Amino acid sequence: MAPRPRRICFIGPECTAKTTLALRLARELGATYVPEFAREYAEGCGNVLSAADVEPIARGQMAAEDAAADAERIVLDTDLISTLVYARHYYGECPQWIADEAMKRRADLYLLMDTDIPWQPDAARDTGGDTREDLFDDFRRTLEEFGAPFVVISGSGEPRWRAILDAIG
């Protein structure tokens, strides 16, 4: 029997219930929750970002993860792989050091959230949901590129939640 994952990361396109479900899982497991630093950063910038913001976002995410490093179990509301995917998507590239750190810091399990739930407007997001399927494919390819263990989480409501519980064992 495989050991239960210590570091579980919710990942995927915007508005796929990552934050809501990550918070719920952390509560139910009694795990330490690490929020998505990019959201806080973007809101502080009035949601106007450029390629120059990628490195500060990565450093902030790493600091948040490092602060929780000694916890017995950690639930991440995204990680550096997300920073990498979004940098490539929006700016065509990502600094190599971020890719290197993302590889070193891979979670034990990624829960790749499917786009099969309706997009909801969110002040921290600007796409209107138009690129979610393309981003989903980018996330899947990047997780495969990194050799990261992942499970696609689909469905809405309780079926989505049960899929998460099944994935973590």
Side-chain angles (χ1 to χ4, degrees):
M1 183 155 116
R4 296 188 84 188
R6 179 178 169 267
R7 288 173 36 99
I8 302 165
C9 183
F10 284 74
I11 200 162
E14 63 186 26
C15 301
T16 54
K18 293 183 301 293
T19 299
T20 300
L21 294 169
L23 281 165
R24 181 177 176 186
L25 184 63
R27 265 193 319 272
E28 294 216 7
L29 295 177
T32 298
Y33 170 75
V34 177
E36 175 188 14
F37 181 79
R39 173 183 288 275
E40 176 186 326
Y41 184 93
E43 288 172 353
C45 296
N47 296 317
V48 178
L49 299 176
S50 73
D53 295 302
V54 172
E55 291 192 59
I57 288 170
R59 291 186 198 292
Q61 185 66 39
M62 290 179 355
E65 290 176 23
D66 290 348
D70 292 334
E72 185 175 319
R73 199 148 199 207
I74 301 167
V75 174
L76 301 156
D77 181 357
T78 203
D79 71 356
L80 288 180
I81 289 178
S82 185
T83 305
L84 175 75
V85 168
Y86 278 106
R88 288 175 175 172
H89 178 80
Y90 284 111
Y91 312 118
E93 62 183 3
C94 184
Q96 185 59 46
W97 73 264
I98 295 173
D100 295 343
E101 283 295 320
M103 180 65 85
K104 287 185 220 172
R105 294 167 171 265
R106 281 178 305 189
D108 299 315
L109 177 64
Y110 287 87
L111 301 174
L112 175 55
M113 307 306 283
D114 202 347
T115 60
D116 59 343
I117 59 175
W119 183 85
Q120 298 292 317
D122 180 337
R125 308 295 180 222
D126 64 355
T127 69
D130 296 338
T131 62
R132 287 195 320 161
E133 286 75 23
D134 292 337
L135 279 164
F136 178 85
D137 292 340
D138 291 345
F139 276 104
R140 180 190 292 272
R141 275 192 299 276
T142 303
L143 290 167
E144 290 169 350
E145 170 190 338
F146 277 66
F150 72 94
V151 175
V152 175
I153 303 296
S154 301
S156 63
E158 285 306 303
R160 198 174 193 90
W161 177 245
R162 281 193 304 277
I164 290 167
L165 295 178
D166 288 347
I168 67 168

